[in-house]
Amino acid sequence: MRNTAKITTAVLAAGALTLGLSACGSDKDSASDTSGPLVVAASPTPHAEILNYVKDNLAKKAGLDLEVKEFTDYVTPNTATEDGSVGANYFQTQPYLDDFNKKNGTHIVSVVDVHLEPLGLYSHKVKKADDLKSGATVAVPNDTVNEGRALQLLAANGIIGLKDGVGTAATPADITKNPKNLEFKELEAAQTPRSLDDVDAAVVNGNYAIEADLKPAEDALVLESAKGNPNSNLLAVKEGHEDDPRVKKLAKLLNSPEVKKFIEDTYDGAVLPSF
């Protein structure tokens, strides 16, 4: 039976208060005790699924004791890594990590890229992006990087225009062309697929699309290109823990041929190996 603890967004506020970004963690916390299991915080899909594949099929032979903790938000995994409640996390992209560190004073670093989840535009009301009516409402993630990434997706497909050079820092205020007069509803990333009955379309992160039984390769009106994409999901640790032998073992396993095959066989193009 998998040793997986599920922590929902309902405990986010309490968790943030308990953890505290300034906390250092005890001498016996998960990150400092390299003799114990490596505890990794992860989003349920596909991150925890990939980690559990490693745990069930590869870890024992590699001499790795791995424990997976599931989180449904994009904040607690980093605060828990910062204070040592977990030894690593696997849920985010480098642009998101850079932005999080800058805004929160955390010291989390990338270890290895693992996979890409193409961001897509979905709708329960139209079958093509061109069919969106004037004044339609589009939900987008409200965190800085994913909102910018969502707007870049729309711009790349000619749905809107953006100021030059705004990159993943783009917000609706940076829109220079909006021929359909679209209105944007900013939501927590996890809420975007749940909003599809209430909005005309929504830009959804790949992991949340999968959880909502959406098939990016089939259901997305427009889909992010994998070629040259900087938004690979990565294994991350607090700075100074990169050489933890447990982390090195996990990084090697996550970039193994077995994991590559598992990703390709399981997600049918909705998740793409980045190695």
mmCIF file of all heavy atoms in Angstrom, residues 90-114:
data_model
loop_
_atom_site.group_PDB
_atom_site.id
_atom_site.type_symbol
_atom_site.label_atom_id
_atom_site.label_comp_id
_atom_site.label_asym_id
_atom_site.label_seq_id
_atom_site.Cartn_x
_atom_site.Cartn_y
_atom_site.Cartn_z
ATOM 1 N N TYR A 90 8.269 18.265 -6.268
ATOM 2 C CA TYR A 90 8.171 18.006 -7.710
ATOM 3 C C TYR A 90 6.771 18.425 -8.132
ATOM 4 O O TYR A 90 5.801 17.713 -7.923
ATOM 5 C CB TYR A 90 8.425 16.521 -7.952
ATOM 6 C CG TYR A 90 8.185 16.002 -9.353
ATOM 7 C CD1 TYR A 90 8.429 16.778 -10.486
ATOM 8 C CD2 TYR A 90 7.738 14.705 -9.543
ATOM 9 C CE1 TYR A 90 8.219 16.270 -11.759
ATOM 10 C CE2 TYR A 90 7.526 14.175 -10.802
ATOM 11 C CZ TYR A 90 7.756 14.959 -11.904
ATOM 12 O OH TYR A 90 7.547 14.449 -13.158
ATOM 13 N N PHE A 91 6.659 19.667 -8.677
ATOM 14 C CA PHE A 91 5.331 20.150 -9.085
ATOM 15 C C PHE A 91 5.407 21.377 -9.977
ATOM 16 O O PHE A 91 4.416 21.748 -10.590
ATOM 17 C CB PHE A 91 4.488 20.521 -7.848
ATOM 18 C CG PHE A 91 4.856 21.843 -7.221
ATOM 19 C CD1 PHE A 91 4.105 22.982 -7.470
ATOM 20 C CD2 PHE A 91 5.964 21.962 -6.401
ATOM 21 C CE1 PHE A 91 4.446 24.216 -6.908
ATOM 22 C CE2 PHE A 91 6.313 23.170 -5.821
ATOM 23 C CZ PHE A 91 5.549 24.306 -6.084
ATOM 24 N N GLN A 92 6.589 22.026 -10.101
ATOM 25 C CA GLN A 92 6.637 23.376 -10.657
ATOM 26 C C GLN A 92 7.634 23.500 -11.807
ATOM 27 O O GLN A 92 8.444 22.602 -12.060
ATOM 28 C CB GLN A 92 7.024 24.355 -9.552
ATOM 29 C CG GLN A 92 8.434 24.131 -9.004
ATOM 30 C CD GLN A 92 8.682 24.903 -7.716
ATOM 31 O OE1 GLN A 92 8.251 26.038 -7.574
ATOM 32 N NE2 GLN A 92 9.392 24.287 -6.778
ATOM 33 N N THR A 93 7.553 24.656 -12.470
ATOM 34 C CA THR A 93 8.469 24.992 -13.555
ATOM 35 C C THR A 93 9.539 25.959 -13.046
ATOM 36 O O THR A 93 9.386 26.563 -11.987
ATOM 37 C CB THR A 93 7.713 25.649 -14.714
ATOM 38 O OG1 THR A 93 7.216 26.923 -14.271
ATOM 39 C CG2 THR A 93 6.554 24.780 -15.203
ATOM 40 N N GLN A 94 10.597 26.130 -13.833
ATOM 41 C CA GLN A 94 11.653 27.055 -13.423
ATOM 42 C C GLN A 94 11.162 28.501 -13.340
ATOM 43 O O GLN A 94 11.484 29.196 -12.369
ATOM 44 C CB GLN A 94 12.847 26.968 -14.384
ATOM 45 C CG GLN A 94 14.068 27.742 -13.919
ATOM 46 C CD GLN A 94 14.688 27.142 -12.669
ATOM 47 O OE1 GLN A 94 15.010 25.963 -12.631
ATOM 48 N NE2 GLN A 94 14.867 27.951 -11.632
ATOM 49 N N PRO A 95 10.396 29.007 -14.305
ATOM 50 C CA PRO A 95 9.893 30.381 -14.160
ATOM 51 C C PRO A 95 9.045 30.572 -12.905
ATOM 52 O O PRO A 95 9.149 31.599 -12.232
ATOM 53 C CB PRO A 95 9.064 30.595 -15.437
ATOM 54 C CG PRO A 95 9.693 29.684 -16.439
ATOM 55 C CD PRO A 95 10.081 28.469 -15.655
ATOM 56 N N TYR A 96 8.212 29.588 -12.581
ATOM 57 C CA TYR A 96 7.401 29.698 -11.361
ATOM 58 C C TYR A 96 8.298 29.689 -10.128
ATOM 59 O O TYR A 96 8.106 30.482 -9.187
ATOM 60 C CB TYR A 96 6.387 28.552 -11.274
ATOM 61 C CG TYR A 96 5.534 28.628 -10.024
ATOM 62 C CD1 TYR A 96 4.384 29.414 -9.989
ATOM 63 C CD2 TYR A 96 5.906 27.946 -8.869
ATOM 64 C CE1 TYR A 96 3.614 29.512 -8.832
ATOM 65 C CE2 TYR A 96 5.146 28.049 -7.702
ATOM 66 C CZ TYR A 96 4.007 28.827 -7.700
ATOM 67 O OH TYR A 96 3.260 28.936 -6.551
ATOM 68 N N LEU A 97 9.294 28.800 -10.109
ATOM 69 C CA LEU A 97 10.211 28.719 -8.971
ATOM 70 C C LEU A 97 10.979 30.021 -8.783
ATOM 71 O O LEU A 97 11.116 30.525 -7.656
ATOM 72 C CB LEU A 97 11.183 27.552 -9.171
ATOM 73 C CG LEU A 97 12.307 27.400 -8.146
ATOM 74 C CD1 LEU A 97 11.746 27.267 -6.738
ATOM 75 C CD2 LEU A 97 13.182 26.205 -8.486
ATOM 76 N N ASP A 98 11.472 30.579 -9.875
ATOM 77 C CA ASP A 98 12.216 31.847 -9.787
ATOM 78 C C ASP A 98 11.335 32.947 -9.207
ATOM 79 O O ASP A 98 11.775 33.730 -8.350
ATOM 80 C CB ASP A 98 12.720 32.256 -11.172
ATOM 81 C CG ASP A 98 13.811 31.341 -11.702
ATOM 82 O OD1 ASP A 98 14.419 30.604 -10.899
ATOM 83 O OD2 ASP A 98 14.048 31.359 -12.927
ATOM 84 N N ASP A 99 10.102 33.018 -9.677
ATOM 85 C CA ASP A 99 9.177 34.038 -9.197
ATOM 86 C C ASP A 99 8.838 33.818 -7.721
ATOM 87 O O ASP A 99 8.786 34.774 -6.941
ATOM 88 C CB ASP A 99 7.905 34.014 -10.049
ATOM 89 C CG ASP A 99 6.899 35.078 -9.640
ATOM 90 O OD1 ASP A 99 7.171 36.266 -9.905
ATOM 91 O OD2 ASP A 99 5.861 34.720 -9.056
ATOM 92 N N PHE A 100 8.641 32.571 -7.330
ATOM 93 C CA PHE A 100 8.300 32.252 -5.945
ATOM 94 C C PHE A 100 9.445 32.642 -5.004
ATOM 95 O O PHE A 100 9.230 33.252 -3.957
ATOM 96 C CB PHE A 100 7.974 30.767 -5.801
ATOM 97 C CG PHE A 100 7.375 30.401 -4.471
ATOM 98 C CD1 PHE A 100 6.002 30.337 -4.307
ATOM 99 C CD2 PHE A 100 8.188 30.133 -3.371
ATOM 100 C CE1 PHE A 100 5.440 30.014 -3.077
ATOM 101 C CE2 PHE A 100 7.635 29.812 -2.131
ATOM 102 C CZ PHE A 100 6.257 29.754 -1.988
ATOM 103 N N ASN A 101 10.666 32.269 -5.382
ATOM 104 C CA ASN A 101 11.823 32.622 -4.554
ATOM 105 C C ASN A 101 11.946 34.133 -4.384
ATOM 106 O O ASN A 101 12.205 34.635 -3.287
ATOM 107 C CB ASN A 101 13.108 32.077 -5.172
ATOM 108 C CG ASN A 101 13.334 30.606 -4.886
ATOM 109 O OD1 ASN A 101 12.883 30.067 -3.883
ATOM 110 N ND2 ASN A 101 14.056 29.928 -5.767
ATOM 111 N N LYS A 102 11.761 34.851 -5.483
ATOM 112 C CA LYS A 102 11.898 36.305 -5.455
ATOM 113 C C LYS A 102 10.863 36.944 -4.541
ATOM 114 O O LYS A 102 11.177 37.858 -3.759
ATOM 115 C CB LYS A 102 11.767 36.864 -6.874
ATOM 116 C CG LYS A 102 11.935 38.367 -6.982
ATOM 117 C CD LYS A 102 11.827 38.817 -8.438
ATOM 118 C CE LYS A 102 11.972 40.338 -8.550
ATOM 119 N NZ LYS A 102 11.863 40.774 -9.981
ATOM 120 N N LYS A 103 9.633 36.472 -4.610
ATOM 121 C CA LYS A 103 8.553 37.085 -3.844
ATOM 122 C C LYS A 103 8.518 36.656 -2.384
ATOM 123 O O LYS A 103 8.013 37.385 -1.528
ATOM 124 C CB LYS A 103 7.206 36.759 -4.499
ATOM 125 C CG LYS A 103 6.982 37.476 -5.815
ATOM 126 C CD LYS A 103 5.619 37.138 -6.387
ATOM 127 C CE LYS A 103 5.350 37.959 -7.652
ATOM 128 N NZ LYS A 103 4.044 37.602 -8.258
ATOM 129 N N ASN A 104 9.047 35.469 -2.091
ATOM 130 C CA ASN A 104 8.895 34.919 -0.746
ATOM 131 C C ASN A 104 10.200 34.761 0.025
ATOM 132 O O ASN A 104 10.185 34.331 1.174
ATOM 133 C CB ASN A 104 8.185 33.557 -0.825
ATOM 134 C CG ASN A 104 6.766 33.677 -1.345
ATOM 135 O OD1 ASN A 104 5.859 34.077 -0.632
ATOM 136 N ND2 ASN A 104 6.580 33.338 -2.621
ATOM 137 N N GLY A 105 11.317 35.100 -0.612
ATOM 138 C CA GLY A 105 12.586 35.007 0.081
ATOM 139 C C GLY A 105 13.028 33.584 0.356
ATOM 140 O O GLY A 105 13.820 33.338 1.281
ATOM 141 N N THR A 106 12.526 32.637 -0.414
ATOM 142 C CA THR A 106 12.906 31.237 -0.244
ATOM 143 C C THR A 106 14.187 30.937 -1.016
ATOM 144 O O THR A 106 14.647 31.732 -1.827
ATOM 145 C CB THR A 106 11.766 30.318 -0.706
ATOM 146 O OG1 THR A 106 11.250 30.795 -1.965
ATOM 147 C CG2 THR A 106 10.626 30.317 0.295
ATOM 148 N N HIS A 107 14.742 29.755 -0.759
ATOM 149 C CA HIS A 107 16.052 29.410 -1.314
ATOM 150 C C HIS A 107 15.990 28.015 -1.935
ATOM 151 O O HIS A 107 16.750 27.114 -1.579
ATOM 152 C CB HIS A 107 17.123 29.452 -0.222
ATOM 153 C CG HIS A 107 17.111 30.718 0.581
ATOM 154 N ND1 HIS A 107 16.279 30.903 1.674
ATOM 155 C CD2 HIS A 107 17.796 31.873 0.414
ATOM 156 C CE1 HIS A 107 16.476 32.112 2.165
ATOM 157 N NE2 HIS A 107 17.376 32.733 1.424
ATOM 158 N N ILE A 108 15.070 27.853 -2.862
ATOM 159 C CA ILE A 108 14.818 26.552 -3.476
ATOM 160 C C ILE A 108 15.445 26.521 -4.861
ATOM 161 O O ILE A 108 15.370 27.503 -5.606
ATOM 162 C CB ILE A 108 13.304 26.278 -3.534
ATOM 163 C CG1 ILE A 108 12.730 26.336 -2.106
ATOM 164 C CG2 ILE A 108 13.010 24.921 -4.153
ATOM 165 C CD1 ILE A 108 11.239 26.433 -2.048
ATOM 166 N N VAL A 109 16.080 25.405 -5.188
ATOM 167 C CA VAL A 109 16.812 25.305 -6.447
ATOM 168 C C VAL A 109 16.387 24.062 -7.215
ATOM 169 O O VAL A 109 15.963 23.064 -6.633
ATOM 170 C CB VAL A 109 18.340 25.283 -6.218
ATOM 171 C CG1 VAL A 109 18.813 26.593 -5.606
ATOM 172 C CG2 VAL A 109 18.748 24.113 -5.331
ATOM 173 N N SER A 110 16.531 24.144 -8.508
ATOM 174 C CA SER A 110 16.220 23.019 -9.385
ATOM 175 C C SER A 110 17.317 21.964 -9.329
ATOM 176 O O SER A 110 18.502 22.290 -9.233
ATOM 177 C CB SER A 110 16.063 23.526 -10.821
ATOM 178 O OG SER A 110 16.008 22.442 -11.726
ATOM 179 N N VAL A 111 16.908 20.703 -9.404
ATOM 180 C CA VAL A 111 17.854 19.591 -9.464
ATOM 181 C C VAL A 111 17.875 18.988 -10.860
ATOM 182 O O VAL A 111 18.934 18.804 -11.454
ATOM 183 C CB VAL A 111 17.498 18.503 -8.426
ATOM 184 C CG1 VAL A 111 18.441 17.306 -8.549
ATOM 185 C CG2 VAL A 111 17.547 19.076 -7.020
ATOM 186 N N VAL A 112 16.690 18.682 -11.414
ATOM 187 C CA VAL A 112 16.629 18.056 -12.736
ATOM 188 C C VAL A 112 15.246 18.274 -13.336
ATOM 189 O O VAL A 112 14.240 18.276 -12.630
ATOM 190 C CB VAL A 112 16.950 16.539 -12.631
ATOM 191 C CG1 VAL A 112 15.859 15.781 -11.893
ATOM 192 C CG2 VAL A 112 17.201 15.927 -13.998
ATOM 193 N N ASP A 113 15.183 18.518 -14.650
ATOM 194 C CA ASP A 113 13.914 18.586 -15.376
ATOM 195 C C ASP A 113 13.378 17.180 -15.584
ATOM 196 O O ASP A 113 14.150 16.239 -15.822
ATOM 197 C CB ASP A 113 14.100 19.255 -16.733
ATOM 198 C CG ASP A 113 14.348 20.751 -16.632
ATOM 199 O OD1 ASP A 113 14.057 21.326 -15.567
ATOM 200 O OD2 ASP A 113 14.847 21.336 -17.619
ATOM 201 N N VAL A 114 12.048 17.041 -15.525
ATOM 202 C CA VAL A 114 11.452 15.719 -15.693
ATOM 203 C C VAL A 114 10.450 15.676 -16.849
ATOM 204 O O VAL A 114 10.551 14.834 -17.741
ATOM 205 C CB VAL A 114 10.765 15.244 -14.395
ATOM 206 C CG1 VAL A 114 10.228 13.814 -14.571
ATOM 207 C CG2 VAL A 114 11.735 15.304 -13.218
#
